[in-house]
Amino acid sequence: MVREQRRLNLEDIARMSGVSRSTVSRVLNDDPKVSDAVRTRVRTVLTETRFHPNAAARSLATHRTGIIGLVFPRVFTMMFTDPWASVLIKGCLEGSERADLSLVHMLVSTDDQASVDRFFERSVTGRHLDGVILGSHVLGDKLVARLQEEDFPYMLIGRDEHRTANFVDIDNRQAARIATQHLIDHGYRRIVHLSGPPDLVTALDRQDGFFDAIREAGNDPDTVQVECGYFEQVTGFELTLRLLQQPDPPDAIFAADDAMAIGAIQAARELGRSVPNDVAIVGFDDIDMNRMYRPELTTVRQPSDALGRTAVGILSTMITNPSTTPVQRWLSAELIVRGSCGCSFSNSRANGLVQGKEGSPFGPGPNNLIVQT
Amino acid sequence: MVREQRRLNLEDIARMSGVSRSTVSRVLNDDPKVSDAVRTRVRTVLTETRFHPNAAARSLATHRTGIIGLVFPRVFTMMFTDPWASVLIKGCLEGSERADLSLVHMLVSTDDQASVDRFFERSVTGRHLDGVILGSHVLGDKLVARLQEEDFPYMLIGRDEHRTANFVDIDNRQAARIATQHLIDHGYRRIVHLSGPPDLVTALDRQDGFFDAIREAGNDPDTVQVECGYFEQVTGFELTLRLLQQPDPPDAIFAADDAMAIGAIQAARELGRSVPNDVAIVGFDDIDMNRMYRPELTTVRQPSDALGRTAVGILSTMITNPSTTPVQRWLSAELIVRGSCGCSFSNSRANGLVQGKEGSPFGPGPNNLIVQT
DNA sequence: TATTCCTGTGGGAGCGCTCCCACCCAACTC
DNA sequence: GAGTTGGGTGGGAGCGCTCCCACAGGAATA
């Protein structure tokens, strides 16, 4: 085991190419103030020796590590088996590759002060990270406030409850309104909403949108049934199993995410009910897996990978170029109409495009661009 | 933006608690050679100031970063939407938390020299990482050889083709043999195997096990149909759709993973065929999602999370305590018999326990313990 | 009482970079 | 020909830790 052999450093490369340490450093950092002759000479040595500067030393000198964190609240550990989250993570990875950053995965119990402290000590105070992406935002989250307090670069996936933080999101409320509207237009009258965890802003927004549509149709929101659970297939399965066996079962279900919607389809099938004839189902997310279920799921498509990519992209610029005002960006979502809602045609798009621009509660503005990444 | 204000360092803490830099460092590192009086005094200052040592400086001095990488071959980008991989990642995360390490996610094109080089420069030569976990192993992978050459701590999830590398695995061949055997015992005669990517050792092992069982039953392996594809639900769906419409369709399918098996069930349903009456289906992995499909999937349960946890645990000790001989560990797998194979009972376990110990091609030995993590 | 030992503490060097400042020397200006 | 640029280069300091060595001083030993 020769692990402990001394590795090359700048000094060595300098000696080997007959220049000084500083010049080698300049070549490594693409400083234009190096003559072409010297540059090529150093570059040759660099490639021959396969040299790469020590990350720790570089960080120590530059106060930058090139690492960003992707934090999920521990409550959502099941995120890792969630197809939506997987796509989000993929988007974040692509974004970090583009920005030449490394992505560290971490779980933090955002409701537990000790856990938050531990995260802060290691990652923020210890300057382990340059910035952080928060995978989802829970009400009363102590993390965001603390990050703001410390002026530490961060980006939320999904807005915060006060809309004062940095975030990338889609207009969940508007999208849910349009999806519910679509069911109402079909003539369904007993529509149940399968909602997500009640402390997740995203879930609440979709719930609000659902109620908006109910109200607009002239119905009393108080008479409408909403069931909460995790954003999981099993949850959708179990809730629907129970709902369909009620005395007065729903004729339509709007699920707050596709996993639950697929679970709902499974449950209907289990009970021998037809989708959409006995019960229509609409989901949210448009995960890849939908292709395999019959009837195909009508759902809201949200650009989960773009959400991740955009968040990392913005974070990256925030790291080098701190912003004093909150950076908030809205991406577009759209209703994808397939068979599960009772539409006879398939694979077409309704006119329910929820644009980042017009659909945003903020109206048009520099922070509300539609970003196609 | 007060980002650039000077942060506290050891010197400051030393001054504030009336001791030297060295002593503070000792307290931080739990060095026993500090008197209790001094220790408590320093600790108080430490908590009051919420001080945490700078990670980069520490790394520079200790030659250790506390970061390990989780590398997936880029070919398997879809891994991120794979429930099996999600559980593996979760296991790795748990392991790193236990070992007080950070986990960095990365994708490397293992078949592309430039990509491998880039990874090496940044992460290995640049000492960005202390060690690396390889999420799956592709035949002819240039990564492992290079890691060995550089004496860099690594751990494979799944064995390498020569069995010379460090790895954690289950005995895929034996497990697949038992699963196939089970189908043969049921009297199925036209069994088709849905295999994974042909350059993935895991897929090949399962294929070998399938052929072992075929051969043992006195059949000619050459007459048996094997279809290759990705470890995805859609693949299983499409392959099975085609298979079942053949002139002489299979009466049983052994899928190399559950995602494909579920896809196969979906396809059978699409064509109005009954599982298991028209076609029996057996999977591999025992992912959580199986609970929702009817009939419930007979499958091989492998401890994916333990695989990840164990790999990280071993890697962690390898980092502090380099080993000269390959570290190879086999975990147990077992056949879970449910309805999809045609067994009338459900949720019971067959006697097909594939233990790490006896089942391993290596026989018992220090590297072949059954680890229950 | 003198010597050795041991525990606890302080200080200096060093980890491998970046960045600032000083400097050199050719090319220009007047 | 003296003075002034300015591109290109080198050297020193410093980033914030750890680790080794030196050393003080009380306890144990002779």
Side-chain angles (χ1 to χ4, degrees), chain A residues 1-3 7 50-57 59-60 65-67 74 77 80-81 83 86-87 89-90 93 97 100 102-105 107 117-118 121-122 125-128 146 150-151 153 233-234 237-238 262-263 266 269-270 289 291-294 318-319 322-323, chain B residues 1-3 7 50 52-57 59-60 65-67 74 77 80-81 86-87 89-90 93 97 100 102-105 107 117-118 121-122 124-128 146 149-151 153 233-234 237-238 262-263 266 269-270 289 291-294 318-319 322-323:
Chain A
M1 204 72 355
V2 270
R3 175 91 48 82
R7 300 200 157 251
R50 279 178 169 179
F51 174 81
H52 204 75
N54 180 293
S59 301
L60 186 57
T65 60
I67 307 175
R74 190 180 303 272
T77 309
F80 287 98
T81 54
S86 302
V87 177
I89 294 172
K90 206 178 127 221
L93 268 172
E97 206 163 330
D100 204 29
S102 301
L103 190 74
V104 182
H105 249 197
L107 294 174
D117 284 349
R118 222 180 119 242
E121 282 170 8
R122 264 194 84 120
T125 319
R127 281 287 175 252
H128 202 266
R146 185 81 177 274
E150 303 237 8
D151 269 324
Q233 209 167 328
V234 184
F237 181 73
E238 284 162 0
I262 290 176
Q266 293 293 112
R269 180 163 279 157
E270 176 87 1
M289 201 187 285
R291 280 194 280 161
M292 266 169 338
Y293 294 83
R294 297 295 177 277
M318 280 181 18
I319 289 169
S323 136
Chain B
M1 208 54 10
V2 270
R3 174 91 47 78
R7 302 202 155 250
R50 279 178 166 176
H52 205 75
N54 179 294
S59 301
L60 186 57
T65 60
I67 308 174
R74 190 180 302 274
T77 310
F80 286 97
T81 54
S86 301
V87 177
I89 294 172
K90 205 177 128 221
L93 267 172
E97 206 163 332
D100 205 28
S102 301
L103 191 73
V104 183
H105 247 196
L107 295 173
D117 283 349
R118 223 182 121 240
E121 281 169 9
R122 264 196 83 117
V124 179
T125 319
R127 280 290 176 250
H128 203 266
R146 185 82 178 275
E149 196 180 296
E150 303 236 8
D151 268 325
Q233 210 168 325
V234 183
F237 181 74
E238 283 162 1
I262 290 177
Q266 293 292 113
R269 180 163 279 157
E270 175 89 0
M289 201 188 288
R291 283 193 279 160
M292 268 170 335
Y293 293 84
R294 298 293 179 276
M318 281 180 19
I319 288 168
S323 137

Side-chain angles (χ1 to χ4, degrees), chain A residues 70-73 76-93 103 105 107 133-136 157 200 206 231-232 257-259 284-289 302-309, chain B residues 77-82 86 89 105:
Chain A
L70 174 60
V71 175
F72 281 104
F76 299 114
T77 309
M78 89 298 178
M79 280 272 170
F80 287 98
T81 54
D82 173 350
W84 174 79
S86 302
V87 177
L88 176 74
I89 294 172
K90 206 178 127 221
C92 289
L93 268 172
L103 190 74
H105 249 197
L107 294 174
I133 303 275
L134 302 175
S136 53
I157 307 281
L200 202 64
R206 293 180 193 167
F231 280 147
E232 299 183 296
D257 91 328
D258 281 355
F284 204 111
D285 283 350
D286 198 31
I287 58 178
D288 215 41
M289 201 187 285
Q302 69 161 320
S304 316
D305 49 348
L307 236 37
R309 265 196 314 263
Chain B
T77 310
M78 88 300 178
M79 280 273 169
F80 286 97
T81 54
D82 173 350
S86 301
I89 294 172
H105 247 196

Side-chain angles (χ1 to χ4, degrees), chain B residues 10 47 181 189 233 239 272 288 360:
Chain B
L10 275 200
T47 7
Q181 184 74 55
R189 284 294 161 260
Q233 210 168 325
L239 288 176
D288 215 42
S360 148

Side-chain angles (χ1 to χ4, degrees), chain A residues 190 192-194 225 227 238-250 253 271 273:
Chain A
R190 182 139 170 65
V192 173
H193 179 45
L194 301 186
Q225 196 174 355
E227 298 287 335
E238 284 162 0
L239 287 177
T240 307
L241 223 49
R242 225 184 50 218
L243 283 170
L244 293 182
Q245 292 177 104
Q246 284 178 171
D248 182 22
I253 291 176
L271 296 173
R273 311 288 172 90

Side-chain angles (χ1 to χ4, degrees), chain A residues 98-145:
Chain A
R98 241 183 243 184
D100 204 29
L101 294 167
S102 301
L103 190 74
V104 182
H105 249 197
M106 27 190 47
L107 294 174
V108 177
S109 305
T110 46
D111 49 347
D112 168 19
Q113 190 59 47
S115 176
V116 172
D117 284 349
R118 222 180 119 242
F119 163 74
F120 263 84
E121 282 170 8
R122 264 194 84 120
S123 304
V124 180
T125 319
R127 281 287 175 252
H128 202 266
L129 302 180
D130 286 349
V132 73
I133 303 275
L134 302 175
S136 53
H137 181 62
V138 178
L139 283 183
D141 194 320
K142 296 185 175 76
L143 218 49
V144 178

